[in-house]
Amino acid sequence: NAGVTQTPKFQVLKTGQSMTLQCAQDMNHEYMSWYRQDPGMGLRLIHYSVGAGITDQGEVPNGYNVSRSTTEDFPLRLLSAAPSQTSVYFCASSYIRTGGFGYGYTFGSGTRLTVV
Amino acid sequence: GDSVTQMEGPVTLSEEAFLTINCTYTATGYPSLFWYVQYPGEGLQLLLKATKADDKGSNKGFEATYRKETTSFHLEKGSVQVSDSAVYFCALTAGGTSYGKLTFGQGTILTVHP
């Protein structure tokens, strides 16, 4: 089925470890983004990309890196995991249309990360 | 900056009750407005949207009207079902320096009892 695929679904890391959360979409969406979801805080934007080779920071970028080498993939790297990065991570994608993002976004099913 | 404020939850209703979840926003220009729903253990799904003032978004019996004069986008459903139990997020995306960024409210947990 077309959509946004995230792997893994669950992950436990020790403090200081690094890892990459994978995100892939097969809808040829130009725009991709990463959010983290924390209780009572909704979702907050970490990084986003408007096309291959172009990335930018969102609201909470510290401790995370991204790259966009292809239209389909947008991995999120945790450089040195900290307990404060325990969260649920969502990848989302969208077309970029003239006049804005009125089509809405397609979200992956999420990665639940625990840092101990 | 842009912001979205949702009514405090959780909300608990009996089946067939009327639902309203309030959402107000602050944004420059003319944002697009969305309601997303998250069922337990799943990602977010777009429930409905509106892209300009006075537009009414609707889906699965849910409705919301883009009210620019009151900067609101309240979610309503006339008769809720147990299967509507989920977390509901109001969100917006605006132009300018916020291009492409979805700004979310904190979410409202809805529980519907038989």
Side-chain angles (χ1 to χ4, degrees):
Chain A
N1 290 338
V4 178
T5 302
Q6 288 186 239
T7 56
K9 293 191 182 300
F10 301 95
Q11 183 70 49
V12 178
L13 289 179
K14 294 182 179 178
T15 297
Q17 286 185 317
S18 62
M19 79 159 294
T20 299
L21 308 184
Q22 302 292 342
C23 175
Q25 54 92 7
D26 58 2
M27 298 169 285
N28 204 29
H29 284 172
E30 302 96 331
Y31 182 88
M32 298 185 74
S33 55
W34 278 100
Y35 289 83
R36 59 177 288 172
Q37 182 181 24
D38 300 297
M41 301 186 71
L43 281 76
R44 293 179 292 168
L45 181 64
I46 304 172
H47 285 287
Y48 66 96
S49 168
V50 297
I54 306 169
T55 64
D56 206 346
Q57 296 181 352
E59 183 182 355
V60 288
N62 292 341
Y64 308 95
N65 270 358
V66 291
S67 60
R68 183 99 178 265
S69 56
T70 66
T71 299
E72 293 79 18
D73 300 299
F74 191 46
L76 178 72
R77 298 182 186 85
L78 278 70
L79 308 174
S80 177
S84 61
Q85 293 179 304
T86 293
S87 188
V88 181
Y89 292 83
F90 288 100
C91 182
S93 71
S94 177
Y95 290 110
I96 298 177
R97 300 292 190 186
T98 301
F101 288 70
Y103 281 85
Y105 298 70
T106 301
F107 282 81
S109 56
T111 295
R112 185 173 296 274
L113 175 68
T114 302
V115 182
V116 298
Chain B
D2 302 332
S3 66
V4 177
T5 302
Q6 287 181 237
M7 66 182 290
E8 297 276 339
V11 175
T12 303
L13 296 173
S14 297
E15 206 164 25
E16 299 183 2
F18 184 85
L19 169 71
T20 298
I21 301 178
N22 289 338
C23 171
T24 57
Y25 67 89
T26 302
T28 54
Y30 298 90
S32 293
L33 303 174
F34 306 92
W35 277 100
Y36 281 87
V37 58
Q38 184 179 32
Y39 298 104
E42 299 184 10
L44 278 72
Q45 301 176 23
L46 178 65
L47 180 59
L48 53 83
K49 63 181 176 70
T51 57
K52 62 183 186 296
D54 299 324
D55 267 1
K56 177 185 284 188
S58 61
N59 186 26
K60 300 181 181 179
F62 291 90
E63 294 182 340
T65 301
Y66 189 144
R67 301 286 188 199
K68 192 169 185 346
E69 65 275 14
T70 54
T71 61
S72 65
F73 193 54
H74 305 319
L75 182 68
E76 297 181 337
K77 187 174 186 183
S79 176
V80 294
Q81 305 300 312
V82 172
S83 57
D84 293 327
S85 297
V87 183
Y88 291 82
F89 292 94
C90 186
L92 67 81
T93 183
T97 57
S98 299
Y99 184 71
K101 176 186 174 184
L102 260 181
T103 299
F104 286 88
Q106 72 271 35
T108 301
I109 300 172
L110 171 66
T111 303
V112 180
H113 292 296

